Amino acid sequence: MRVAENALRSFLTAAIGREVTDVTVKENEDAKEFDTQRGLRYDINCEFDDGTLAQVEMQGYDEGEFYGSRAEYYVSRLLSTSLDIGDEWGKISQAYQISVLDCVVDKSHDDFFHHYTMTDIKDGSKLADRLNVIFLELPKLPKIDKDTNIKNLPSITKWCKFLKDADNPKQGDLIDTLAKAEEGIMNATKTLNNISEDRWRWIIQGQIEGRERDARTRLHDAERRGRTEASRENARNLLKLGVAEETVAEGCSLPLEEVQKIAEEI
């Protein structure tokens, strides 16, 4: 168990950018909103020696534009557990929601590492630095092969490469090189070797509420896209009949700029 905890401590240090001297894996949250649910569970729910709280999950599918909302909800829920009744505000802990993503969420940037906090929209100053969301998008990892100088890579890059290809037999030599270059990955490799047929993956287990929200979100998103396409088709037909663009925009609940673009395509 200590080997696994050392591996987790090493990964967390790389992810949040400061030294984690000790970490305790806690029982997953068992809060329930509905009688039919078993509760909300995370891949890893842990606490640092200084009281910092963190949840780590691996996600294999894209939640689209709603993934940020999902992460904000989880980290705020985590933060709400850090105070007991009667505690002063000064005792509130830092909270991290760390998502290792085998998909691309932020399509506007090429960097695989994203650390979000609450900041002022004008000058970027931080509020209280308590809520933290970290996305690690594995498909965006830079190319790493036998010719790469592994030792010079940032620790978080080495960790993400390990998490992406730890179970890929074709990457065995590279994983060995990563393990030799990073003690935490060496510990993770030992942990992996001690687990029988299970892959060393932080897979979502029993995350009933999250899965239900994910499913409802995908359904809502599909319905919204369908309504939007229907509005666009109505706009095309009205424009062909000579209806003014402003009237079409208002009648079809579409931005005028989008109606003008549709008119150019006709």
Side-chain angles (χ1 to χ4, degrees):
M1 178 63 72
R2 193 60 189 174
V3 172
E5 289 179 357
N6 285 338
L8 176 60
R9 179 183 56 78
S10 173
F11 169 74
L12 290 170
T13 294
I16 70 173
R18 65 177 174 85
E19 184 69 25
V20 177
T21 57
D22 198 10
V23 60
T24 302
V25 177
K26 302 172 63 178
E27 290 294 323
N28 283 324
E29 184 182 357
D30 196 27
K32 296 181 181 178
E33 291 189 0
F34 308 103
D35 292 338
T36 56
Q37 291 183 334
R38 290 188 291 111
L40 182 64
R41 296 178 63 84
Y42 301 90
D43 295 7
I44 295 179
N45 187 14
C46 56
E47 182 174 355
F48 304 172
D49 54 314
D50 63 357
T52 298
L53 302 173
Q55 290 163 350
V56 184
E57 69 166 350
M58 287 200 73
Q59 180 74 294
Y61 54 88
D62 187 359
E63 288 304 320
E65 63 184 283
F66 298 103
Y67 199 87
S69 300
R70 180 180 184 274
E72 285 183 340
Y73 171 77
Y74 283 163
V75 73
S76 62
R77 185 164 182 155
L78 175 63
L79 190 67
S80 69
T81 67
S82 67
L83 288 181
D84 293 325
I85 296 177
D87 283 348
E88 61 186 61
W89 291 116
K91 290 187 177 180
I92 197 167
S93 303
Q94 274 192 307
Y96 289 86
Q97 167 69 17
I98 304 172
S99 297
V100 183
L101 304 166
D102 198 19
C103 58
V104 173
V105 172
D106 187 346
K107 297 178 175 61
S108 63
H109 296 89
D110 293 331
D111 193 0
F112 75 93
F113 178 89
H114 302 277
H115 186 160
Y116 305 95
T117 61
M118 295 187 69
T119 60
D120 186 275
I121 61 174
K122 292 182 179 179
D123 60 15
S125 59
K126 293 184 179 181
L127 187 59
D129 201 26
R130 290 295 180 265
L131 289 166
N132 295 268
V133 171
I134 294 176
F135 288 167
L136 301 168
E137 299 172 287
L138 300 186
K140 291 183 179 179
L141 278 172
K143 181 180 179 181
I144 300 173
D145 53 31
K146 60 182 180 62
D147 296 323
T148 303
N149 189 335
I150 300 295
K151 291 183 178 181
N152 289 343
L153 291 176
S155 292
I156 192 60
T157 303
K158 288 182 278 191
W159 263 106
C160 285
K161 181 61 178 176
F162 169 76
L163 291 172
K164 182 174 178 60
D165 290 324
D167 57 354
N168 184 352
K170 295 181 179 180
Q171 296 292 325
D173 292 341
L174 181 57
I175 296 301
D176 289 341
T177 303
L178 289 169
K180 293 176 182 177
E182 192 81 14
E183 182 180 358
I185 295 179
M186 177 68 76
N187 289 328
T189 303
K190 292 178 181 177
T191 302
L192 175 63
N193 292 336
N194 288 333
I195 298 176
S196 58
E197 295 180 357
D198 295 330
R199 295 178 179 180
W200 193 81
R201 292 282 191 172
W202 296 324
I203 304 171
I204 298 174
Q205 304 254 341
Q207 201 177 65
I208 300 300
E209 183 211 15
R211 285 174 176 170
E212 288 182 356
R213 289 185 187 277
D214 292 344
R216 289 197 296 270
T217 296
R218 288 193 293 272
L219 178 60
H220 172 79
D221 194 32
E223 291 175 344
R224 179 181 57 81
R225 288 196 300 269
R227 290 193 298 270
T228 300
E229 185 53 40
S231 295
R232 289 171 179 161
E233 184 60 29
N234 289 335
R236 291 189 191 95
N237 293 333
L238 290 172
L239 289 169
K240 289 178 180 178
L241 292 173
V243 180
E245 293 176 352
E246 292 79 3
T247 304
V248 172
E250 182 177 354
C252 296
S253 299
L254 291 172
L256 178 59
E257 295 78 6
E258 186 167 355
V259 172
Q260 291 171 339
K261 183 177 179 180
I262 295 173
E264 293 174 357
E265 296 173 353
I266 295 175

